[in-house]
Amino acid sequence: FRKPSNAEGEGNGEEEECTAEILTKIQTHLPELLQCTVGANVFPPSGGGPTAMAQQYNIPLLASLPLDPNLLKSCDEGLCFVDEFPNSSGVYAMNVIADKLLEFCPPDDEEELEEDIEPVI
């Protein structure tokens, strides 16, 4: 969080960091908000975005994957994202993608899936 650096909230456009202050206020007055997640479309689709492209090429859109810093960390460290960060915001979408891939490309009869993996759909 950031706020104007002067008391009136106007002026030179300089801002100061206030994340700790805001989180303390939320924890004190609205602690239930800390259990919520927030999403933002940082890459707004143009021309219909991925959904329109999938329709144009007649291919399924597997899922919308959120920008999740834990996913990047897992990839960088060679870890299984869904095992290492089971409560992370991208886990559900990753499981949906995996389930759809298995649906569209089922393993051959001689191939076996790990027994401890269960679809989320």
Side-chain angles (χ1 to χ4, degrees), residues 40-58:
N41 192 359
V42 294
F43 302 112
S46 61
T51 302
M53 183 182 286
Q55 291 171 346
Q56 176 184 353
Y57 292 103
N58 197 29

Side-chain angles (χ1 to χ4, degrees), residues 91-107:
V91 168
Y92 178 78
M94 288 295 284
N95 282 328
V96 168
I97 290 170
D99 289 344
K100 287 183 178 179
L101 286 173
L102 286 171
E103 178 184 331
F104 296 127
C105 307

Side-chain angles (χ1 to χ4, degrees), residues 36-45 64-69 89:
C36 299
T37 58
V38 176
N41 192 359
V42 294
F43 302 112
S64 177
L65 189 60
L67 292 176
D68 187 331
S89 64

Side-chain angles (χ1 to χ4, degrees), residues 14-34:
E14 292 183 20
E15 295 179 325
E16 64 183 64
E17 168 66 32
C18 63
T19 301
E21 175 187 342
I22 298 297
L23 288 176
T24 300
K25 287 180 181 181
I26 291 172
Q27 192 168 27
T28 302
H29 301 289
L30 297 165
E32 63 274 11
L33 285 182
L34 297 174

Side-chain angles (χ1 to χ4, degrees), residues 2-3 27 60-61 71 76 80 91 104 106 110:
R2 304 194 61 75
K3 66 181 180 180
Q27 192 168 27
L61 179 64
L71 178 57
D76 284 346
C80 177
V91 168
F104 296 127
E110 57 270 0

